[in-house]
Amino acid sequence: MITTPVDGASRPTAGALRLAEARTENPLGVDTNGYLAGLHEHCPFLRPSTRRGMTGWTVYEITPGSHRYAVEAELFYAGVQAAEWVRPLMGRPYGVLACENVVLLGHCEGADHCELLTWPHWALKNLYAQVGIMFGKFAQGAVETGRRGQSIPPPPFSFLPVRAGVRPLDPKFLETTPDLATALSVAVDDGRDVFEHIPCEWKAVREWASSLPLPQPR
């Protein structure tokens, strides 16, 4: 069960995700060390972030028998929790190194991890770009290449990374979503409630996210 404070209220969800490990820099349930070592050449901020203890992991496991929609909802709320953890850190020394990761374990009938991550990631990405937060999406075993065509190590588990945006660099990663790139390039976190104009219930959020312009083909 995830309870997320939004608009001053707690939002209980249906228990589709079980908290397997509360936030930690060194989770026991997933092996992050070897994977992160292989990513250092792809992300110049990763090594200093881990050295300063600014990379956190929270591990969730899908409750057997949970419906896809409920899993999506709880992933979304877990992402909100992670983003709201990062926001106050961004204004502190080395705040650009803040990174939280929402790990997903387990099986959901009728949907793989890539499908489960898609809508929560898209909604969170659009909600939080305005305050300078970047969301990523990595499904277990997914093969991806970097901007220069280099191979990126496939993740050994599925997760949503949530980090402080880097204005000079990150808009380049959002070429297929120019509105998001623009929002991030001018983002200022003035403490606003990102749900000011959107109900925070997942049904409403998902409908809003589905109305946004989809990424343009390269």
Side-chain angles (χ1 to χ4, degrees):
M1 181 178 188
I2 299 170
T3 303
T4 304
V6 178
D7 293 329
S10 295
R11 298 287 175 175
T13 54
L17 294 184
R18 179 183 68 85
L19 179 63
E21 273 190 272
R23 185 194 182 276
T24 177
E25 296 168 27
N26 298 291
L28 300 176
V30 290
D31 181 11
T32 61
N33 293 331
Y35 175 57
L36 293 182
L39 293 179
H40 286 157
E41 66 177 285
H42 303 283
C43 178
F45 297 94
L46 183 56
R47 194 189 302 270
S49 175
T50 53
R51 283 179 174 173
R52 291 184 177 275
M54 298 184 72
T55 297
W57 302 85
T58 304
V59 183
Y60 295 95
E61 186 172 9
I62 299 170
T63 303
S66 295
H67 189 275
R68 169 180 179 166
Y69 187 88
V71 174
E72 287 181 348
E74 297 204 20
L75 274 173
F76 172 76
Y77 293 132
V80 170
Q81 286 182 325
E84 295 299 334
W85 177 282
V86 169
R87 287 181 74 176
L89 300 178
M90 294 195 301
R92 300 179 186 178
Y94 305 104
V96 71
L97 302 178
C99 179
E100 294 297 311
N101 299 278
V102 178
V103 178
L104 179 66
L105 304 177
H107 173 71
C108 179
E109 189 69 32
D112 61 24
H113 282 195
C114 184
E115 293 169 321
L116 293 170
L117 294 170
T118 295
W119 280 112
H121 167 257
W122 180 239
L124 289 160
K125 198 172 184 177
N126 280 276
L127 272 175
Y128 280 94
Q130 62 183 308
V131 293
I133 289 183
M134 278 281 286
F135 276 82
K137 173 171 63 74
F138 295 93
Q140 181 178 6
V143 177
E144 297 189 23
T145 56
R147 287 175 53 83
R148 299 186 301 275
Q150 72 277 33
S151 297
I152 298 175
F157 47 82
S158 301
F159 68 106
L160 293 173
V162 188
R163 62 173 177 81
V166 183
R167 241 193 252 186
L169 299 176
D170 283 333
K172 298 176 183 177
F173 295 104
L174 299 172
E175 293 176 346
T176 62
T177 51
D179 290 344
L180 272 176
T182 299
L184 192 68
S185 68
V186 298
V188 175
D189 191 354
D190 52 9
R192 76 186 69 176
D193 176 7
V194 298
F195 290 95
E196 183 178 3
H197 303 295
I198 304 167
C200 60
E201 287 78 9
W202 175 238
K203 180 180 179 180
V205 171
R206 201 180 193 283
E207 289 176 355
W208 167 78
S210 66
S211 72
L212 299 171
L214 295 176
Q216 301 173 1
R218 292 183 178 180

